[in-house]
């Protein structure tokens, strides 16, 4: 092998073509081949920036023969750029298998950073951003989605989710029932585009707002949820189980048993029981 070929992982805009970084254009113009998630989709971007480099389709369903073919080309000295339909490849997008294979083959992998919806949303959400977790897309089926939400219920870091517009309302409703109506949440929709909307509210309020305006259920969106701050956020199911048990048992026993059934911390349920008692 002469000079070592490089795999460039190139971010592209998430809506506004003005966000294409100059280095991305230079790299895409100069590499031997572009591996694109969808070559037809990326044609517009190529035309806009006068990029005439040959494109081949690459997605995570491409078989291992396709990965091996691209690695073979790079080992033969050809440079390759990987792009997805929008944003940063590998972030809920294809590329992981190719990057993994390139590194395994001893090839150099170089990122060309640019837009990513998750980070763009976080930068404007006004939620704690020193630590956060990116959860990608939640499951499409409600039961699995609720389980996933329960597993992050007491996560203290800001949570970032991608969601499809047709599932947005159902997802928000599940978030409300699992995380509580008071949890602060941000809907970042159509970022960098004409109808960009960033709305911060309590979950209960956001559910009503989205339900009342079908325009909010269109386009692309990111949901950011403030991390768990302890107390006062018992979900409906935990409250229901606790209250049923509390009618029959002592507060301590009810909190202990409800904690085992729901997975919610015993202290939280006990505290809730005390607050309820205070109100009676
Ligand atoms: N790789 C991309 C990135 O770096 O953001 C994400 C690809 S993923 C298949 C597509 C999802 O990203 C959408 O369903 C949406 O949740 C989010 N997304 C992409 N563009 C967006 C935009 N302009 N505004 C809000 N969300 C966006």
């Amino acid at each position: 092998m002469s000079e070592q070929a490089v795999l460039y992982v190139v971010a592209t805009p998430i809506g506004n073509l003005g966000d294409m970084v100059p280095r991305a254009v230079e790299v895409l113009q100069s590499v031997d081949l572009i591996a694109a998630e969808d070559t037809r989709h990326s044609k517009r971007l190529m035309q806009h920036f006068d990029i005439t480099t040959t494109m081949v389709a690459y997605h995570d369903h491409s078989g291992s023969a396709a990965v091996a073919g691209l690695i073979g080309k790079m080992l033969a000295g050809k440079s390759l750029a990987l792009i997805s339909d929008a944003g940063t490849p590998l972030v809920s997008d294809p590329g992981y298998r190719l990057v993994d294979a390139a590194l395994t083959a001893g090839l150099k992998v170089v990122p060309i950073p640019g837009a990513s919806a998750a980070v763009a949303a976080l930068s404007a959400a006004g939620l704690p951003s020193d630590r956060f977790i990116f959860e990608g897309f939640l499951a499409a089926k409600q039961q699995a989605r609720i389980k996933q939400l329960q597993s992050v219920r007491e996560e203290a870091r800001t949570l970032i989710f991608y969601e499809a517009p047709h599932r947005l309302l159902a997802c928000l409703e599940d978030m409300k029932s699992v995380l509580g109506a008071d949890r602060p949440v941000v809907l970042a929709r159509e970022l960098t585009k004409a109808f960009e909307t960033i709305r911060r509210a309590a979950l209960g309020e956001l559910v009503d707002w989205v339900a009342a305006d079908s325009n909010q259920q269109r386009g692309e969106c990111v949901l950011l949820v403030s991390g768990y701050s302890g107390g006062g956020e018992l979900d409906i199911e935990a409250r229901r189980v606790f209250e049923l048990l509390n009618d029959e048992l002592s507060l301590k026993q009810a909190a202990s048993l409800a904690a085992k059934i729901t997975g919610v911390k015993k202290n939280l349920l006990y505290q809730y029981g005390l607050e309820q008692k205070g109100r009676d």
Side-chain angles (χ1 to χ4, degrees), residues 118-127 129 186 188 191 196 198-200 224:
V119 173
L122 182 69
S123 71
L127 295 179
S129 54
V186 174
L191 294 170
E196 180 176 83
I198 301 172
R199 172 93 181 191
R200 185 169 66 162
L224 304 97

Side-chain angles (χ1 to χ4, degrees), residues 27-280:
V27 164
L28 293 177
Q29 280 169 341
S30 64
V31 287
D32 295 304
L33 199 62
I34 298 170
E37 180 180 6
D38 181 342
T39 54
R40 276 209 335 228
H41 176 97
S42 295
K43 226 176 186 167
R44 197 178 138 237
L45 186 79
M46 299 303 141
Q47 279 164 356
H48 187 87
F49 291 103
D50 283 330
I51 297 162
T52 52
T53 310
T54 307
M55 282 195 284
V56 290
Y58 173 80
H59 38 76
D60 277 342
H61 306 296
S62 306
S64 32
V67 175
L70 292 172
I71 297 294
K73 284 190 168 63
M74 283 188 279
L75 288 173
K78 303 258 182 243
S79 56
L80 182 73
L82 170 71
I83 58 169
S84 61
D85 286 353
T88 302
L90 281 87
V91 180
S92 290
D93 260 347
Y96 159 68
R97 285 177 54 229
L98 185 61
V99 170
D100 180 39
L103 291 173
T104 305
L107 293 159
K108 196 171 172 192
V109 179
V110 173
I112 307 294
S116 185
V119 173
L122 182 69
S123 71
L127 295 179
S129 54
D130 48 345
R131 298 191 308 151
F132 58 90
I133 37 174
F134 174 63
E135 285 284 307
F137 287 95
L138 284 164
K141 296 226 167 87
Q142 188 182 33
Q143 217 181 349
R145 186 163 63 221
I146 286 184
K147 259 198 175 150
Q148 286 173 316
L149 288 169
Q150 281 168 339
S151 75
V152 292
R153 191 185 168 278
E154 292 185 24
E155 170 56 60
R157 291 166 287 188
T158 293
L159 297 153
I160 307 179
F161 301 93
Y162 283 165
E163 192 47 282
H166 62 278
R167 275 199 292 269
L168 175 64
L169 189 55
C171 172
L172 282 171
E173 277 164 353
D174 288 344
M175 283 181 168
K176 179 179 157 187
S177 81
V178 176
L179 308 175
D182 298 333
R183 184 81 73 104
V185 63
V186 174
L187 169 64
R189 211 174 59 78
E190 292 290 86
L191 294 170
T192 78
K193 304 187 211 175
F195 295 103
E196 180 176 83
T197 309
I198 301 172
R199 172 93 181 191
R200 185 169 66 162
L203 256 172
E205 200 185 306
L206 195 76
V207 169
D208 294 346
W209 185 69
V210 169
D213 180 0
S214 61
N215 282 329
Q216 304 307 330
Q217 297 166 45
R218 297 205 180 117
E220 298 188 283
C221 64
V222 182
L223 282 170
L224 304 97
V225 181
S226 189
Y228 180 70
S229 56
E233 288 171 347
L234 279 189
D235 66 69
I236 293 169
E237 183 59 11
R239 267 182 273 165
R240 194 182 68 84
V241 171
F242 170 78
E243 280 161 15
L244 279 174
L245 294 169
N246 201 31
D247 284 344
E248 307 294 329
L249 305 167
S250 73
L251 173 57
K252 207 171 156 192
Q253 285 170 319
S256 173
L257 200 51
K260 282 186 188 136
I261 295 169
T262 62
V264 171
K265 282 205 174 103
K266 192 166 77 182
N267 285 352
L268 210 60
L269 292 155
Y270 189 81
Q271 197 56 39
Y272 173 71
L274 285 179
E275 283 166 18
Q276 294 305 104
K277 226 174 174 181
R279 274 184 207 154
D280 292 342

